[in-house]
Amino acid sequence: MKKFFMALTAAAAALAAASSHATVNVLACEPEWAALATEIGGDKVKASSATTALQDPHRIEARPSLIARTRNADLLVCTGLELEVGWLPILLQQSGNPKIVPGQPGYLEAGSLVPRLDVPARLDRSEGDVHAAGNPHIQQDPRNIARVADALVQRLVQIDAGNAAYYQARYKDFSARWNAAIQKWTQQAAPLKGIAVVEHHKNMAYLLNWLGMRSVATLEPKPGVEPSGAHLSALISQLQQQPAKMVLRAAYQDGHASQWLSEHAHIPAVVLPFTVGGDDKAKDLFSLFDDTVQRLQEGAK
Ligand SMILES: [Zn+2]
């Protein structure tokens, strides 16, 4: 009997030892940051995203299941810049997880690490859903992904020092492959330079800026305000003066306005995956950009 209890104690001790080397739980607000955490963290992290590529990251519900996931997170990686202002504060508050509040190593705001576009000179909320800190849709410029990777590896090392060498080796390998891929994409997309496009929402700014493309109009009359018939008709006459080559939208956005403009302005409506999981091809960060560049090239033909 005594032997049996001793065996039990040994098993419990082994279990406790194993759990002290448990994986780092990463909760990302958007799929691209979960994908990046997996690239760098490998099997030492368990990463998941609060939103999918088919959801509008400005607007999701802080469901109880999501609050439970927030409670278990060791590291929260979010775009920030007010993108999640409608739901992240609720998650933080309801979860009561002290590890992931702003200021702690467990809170990483990706948007604060990149040079920002569209920072308003003057904040006027009557201009629609304008973000004071600038355009938050930073993930479609792969150079921004690299900047966030630099900070993410440091945070993983800080949170899980025992695996520092592992994270640093994976980061080095990722960075080499990523920089080579950026060169490849930039070359492939060189003919797109100067091309004018219409965006559904101002969420393509970083992509267009990276590739030297131009946005001449948006389907939304104001950021966050759905396209209206009057605005779309006005767009048709604007495009007669100032033509665009294609109309872009993200996978999560409704296609009706895009289709309407495509038919009336005789330009292709191009859907971009926008983030990992936005279509069948965009399975990870590398294939996300492979697919994005290819879709732009097809739209420009
Ligand atoms: Zn937005």
Side-chain angles (χ1 to χ4, degrees):
M1 196 65 180
K2 203 173 170 194
K3 230 176 178 176
F4 173 70
F5 277 118
M6 273 168 68
L8 253 185
T9 319
L15 212 72
S19 68
S20 75
H21 295 283
T23 50
V24 177
N25 262 321
V26 179
L27 179 64
C29 285
E30 292 81 22
E32 60 272 19
W33 310 130
L36 186 60
T38 303
E39 290 282 353
I40 297 171
D43 57 13
K44 307 288 184 218
V45 310
K46 203 171 123 237
S48 69
S49 174
T51 58
T52 74
L54 302 180
Q55 287 177 311
D56 181 345
H58 299 91
R59 293 177 195 87
I60 62 155
E61 241 180 280
R63 292 176 193 279
S65 59
L66 187 51
I67 293 167
R69 283 162 66 199
T70 313
R71 198 168 289 139
N72 293 328
D74 302 304
L75 175 61
L76 183 71
V77 188
C78 297
T79 295
L81 306 180
E82 300 182 358
L83 178 61
E84 306 95 353
V85 73
W87 52 274
L88 184 57
I90 304 169
L91 288 187
L92 285 172
Q93 199 215 348
Q94 300 278 313
S95 71
N97 180 348
K99 288 189 280 189
I100 56 163
V101 295
Q104 291 301 309
Y107 175 86
L108 184 62
E109 185 187 38
S112 66
L113 304 165
V114 309
R116 258 109 62 187
L117 301 175
D118 305 334
V119 180
R122 189 177 56 93
L123 193 61
D124 184 352
R125 298 282 178 193
S126 73
E127 289 305 303
D129 192 8
V130 181
H131 302 291
N135 191 318
H137 305 287
I138 63 165
Q139 85 286 356
Q140 285 193 109
D141 181 338
R143 297 167 304 180
N144 287 346
I145 301 283
R147 291 177 178 114
V148 179
D150 291 352
L152 185 55
V153 67
Q154 289 172 31
R155 290 303 176 89
L156 286 172
V157 166
Q158 208 176 342
I159 292 168
D160 180 21
N163 288 311
Y166 175 85
Y167 296 129
Q168 275 149 355
R170 284 193 67 99
Y171 165 74
K172 212 175 145 196
D173 175 63
F174 169 77
S175 293
R177 289 183 293 122
W178 192 249
N179 289 331
I182 292 179
Q183 277 197 347
K184 178 190 76 177
W185 296 318
T186 311
Q187 266 169 21
Q188 286 171 342
L192 298 169
K193 206 168 256 176
I195 285 181
V197 302
V198 176
E199 297 169 89
H200 181 119
H201 172 69
K202 275 194 79 67
N203 56 4
M204 304 287 170
Y206 292 87
L207 174 70
L208 302 177
N209 176 65
W210 166 47
L211 297 176
M213 299 171 73
R214 294 182 298 126
S215 171
V216 293
T218 57
L219 299 180
E220 292 178 342
K222 287 176 182 180
V225 178
E226 283 308 309
S228 64
H231 178 66
L232 290 178
S233 314
L235 258 185
I236 293 293
S237 22
Q238 186 196 325
L239 290 176
Q240 280 160 0
Q241 308 301 318
Q242 191 182 23
K245 195 89 180 174
M246 57 187 115
V247 50
L248 297 179
R249 74 173 190 275
Y252 73 85
Q253 289 169 313
D254 181 82
H256 285 91
S258 245
Q259 281 309 332
W260 187 92
L261 192 80
S262 169
E263 281 157 29
H264 289 81
H266 312 291
I267 55 175
V270 176
V271 187
L272 297 181
F274 195 64
T275 184
V276 175
D279 62 32
D280 292 347
K281 284 186 179 167
K283 290 188 190 317
D284 60 19
L285 287 167
F286 290 90
S287 47
L288 165 66
F289 283 92
D290 284 339
D291 188 44
T292 300
V293 170
Q294 196 188 344
R295 283 169 178 254
L296 288 173
Q297 285 172 319
E298 278 161 17
K301 268 181 195 159

